């Protein structure tokens, strides 16, 4: 079975440009997470969706960042306008239906390496 | 504020040696997970521990959750080059929640 699919794998753009990152979660998973990883700050949760609905976006750095999940098989993370400090690896992760108190098992995609010059 | 501190930050050892990686916090976690991440890939879940004092073994890897559920350790016996990677711990902020806080990471290199 295919895992979490992210595109593009690498993105280089100039400051001020719009960037859109894409994610296809594992089929049947109902939770989706967007993370950002940098050397300085490690892996940070940006936003979490459950059943396509954004539950918590408190990790989104600022209004330049937005995320959508129009259906169960697709999500986007958009940065507009982009800045050099947004350079990082962005990961999407999905999780199967959560029941009871069982901890979430997150399955990560390969990531998108974003470089803003 | 980084809630989860991992030590050591970097570790380079010879094949066959044993090692322990620590994950410490002043916060109590409902559960704790360990991941391994290889270059150019996303983290891969190794184990989840839930109960204070719990010990889980995965082949040559032994994971322990502290009694107070504030810390955890990962012990690798007879390390192999295939164990090379970035090891991350992640603590669940509340029972049944989605929110995991990731640790600072330990970068392990096992030399053949």
């Amino acid at each position: 079975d295919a895992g979490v699919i992210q595109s593009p794998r690498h993105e280089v753009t100039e400051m001020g440009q719009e960037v859109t990152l894409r994610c296809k979660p594992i089929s049947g998973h109902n939770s989706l997470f967007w993370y950002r990883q940098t050397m300085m700050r490690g892996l940070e949760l940006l936003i979490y969706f459950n059943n396509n609905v954004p539950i918590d976006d408190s990790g989104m750095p600022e209004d330049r960042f937005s995320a959508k999940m129009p259906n169960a098989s697709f999500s986007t993370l958009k940065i507009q306008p982009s800045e050099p400090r947004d350079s990082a690896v962005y990961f999407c992760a999905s999780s199967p239906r959560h029941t009871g108190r069982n901890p979430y098992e997150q399955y990560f995609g390969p990531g998108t390496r974003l470089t803003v010059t | 504020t980084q809630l989860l501190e991992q030590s050591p930050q970097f570790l380079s050892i010879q094949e066959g040696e044993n090692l322990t990686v620590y994950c410490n916090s002043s916060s109590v976690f409902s559960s704790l997970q360990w991941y391994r991440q290889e270059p150019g890939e996303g983290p891969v879940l190794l184990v989840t521990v839930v109960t204070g004092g719990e010990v889980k073994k995965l082949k040559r890897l032994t994971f322990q959750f502290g009694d107070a559920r504030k810390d955890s350790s990962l012990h690798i016996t007879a390390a192999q080059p295939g164990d090379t990677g970035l090891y991350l711990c992640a603590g669940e902020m509340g029972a049944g929640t989605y929110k995991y806080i990731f640790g600072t990471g330990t970068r392990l290199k096992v030399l053949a």
Side-chain angles (χ1 to χ4, degrees):
Chain A
D1 288 340
V4 175
I5 299 172
Q6 291 187 246
S7 65
R9 291 295 311 274
H10 302 273
E11 177 79 38
V12 180
T13 190
E14 292 184 346
M15 183 174 64
Q17 296 298 307
E18 177 180 297
V19 176
T20 299
L21 311 180
R22 297 173 176 79
C23 175
K24 177 179 170 57
I26 294 173
S27 178
H29 284 192
N30 72 323
S31 299
L32 185 139
F33 309 80
W34 280 101
Y35 287 88
R36 178 173 66 177
Q37 187 174 39
T38 62
M39 289 293 292
M40 291 296 294
R41 300 176 67 87
L43 199 60
E44 303 173 283
L45 177 65
L46 300 178
I47 188 170
Y48 156 69
F49 291 87
N50 191 40
N51 293 324
N52 312 337
V53 177
I55 303 300
D56 187 342
D57 65 354
S58 59
M60 297 285 261
E62 49 198 270
D63 292 345
R64 298 184 297 106
F65 285 68
S66 62
K68 294 182 179 180
M69 192 165 185
N71 56 63
S73 60
F74 184 66
S75 177
T76 59
L77 178 66
K78 184 179 294 185
I79 308 172
Q80 166 65 20
S82 59
E83 297 183 3
R85 60 191 168 124
D86 301 331
S87 297
V89 181
Y90 290 81
F91 288 101
C92 175
S94 70
S95 183
R97 182 171 296 277
H98 176 240
T99 58
R101 293 190 67 255
N102 293 329
Y104 280 81
E105 294 184 357
Q106 298 181 74
Y107 297 82
F108 283 79
T112 295
R113 182 173 294 277
L114 173 65
T115 302
V116 183
T117 60
Chain B
T1 302
Q2 185 57 256
L3 297 179
L4 274 171
E5 295 289 339
Q6 288 185 237
S7 61
Q9 199 173 352
F10 300 96
L11 189 57
S12 181
I13 62 171
Q14 292 293 132
E15 182 177 4
E17 292 184 3
N18 301 333
L19 67 117
T20 301
V21 175
Y22 299 94
C23 174
N24 294 296
S25 175
S26 57
S27 301
V28 176
F29 295 105
S30 302
S31 65
L32 193 137
Q33 298 181 330
W34 282 93
Y35 291 79
R36 181 171 66 214
Q37 183 179 15
E38 299 188 19
E41 299 180 9
V44 175
L45 180 64
L46 297 174
V47 78
T48 302
V49 285
V50 180
T51 306
E54 181 177 3
V55 177
K56 280 192 174 179
K57 292 190 175 182
L58 185 65
K59 296 183 180 179
R60 294 177 294 99
L61 278 60
T62 301
F63 305 86
Q64 183 164 8
F65 201 10
D67 291 341
R69 291 185 287 127
K70 293 181 178 182
D71 54 84
S72 180
S73 64
L74 158 59
H75 182 79
I76 301 178
T77 303
Q80 299 177 359
D83 296 327
T84 294
L86 177 67
Y87 287 82
L88 295 163
C89 62
E92 184 185 12
M93 296 301 294
T97 69
Y98 61 89
K99 202 159 188 173
Y100 279 88
I101 303 298
F102 278 79
T104 50
T106 293
R107 197 167 295 278
L108 171 66
K109 187 170 186 178
V110 182
L111 304 170

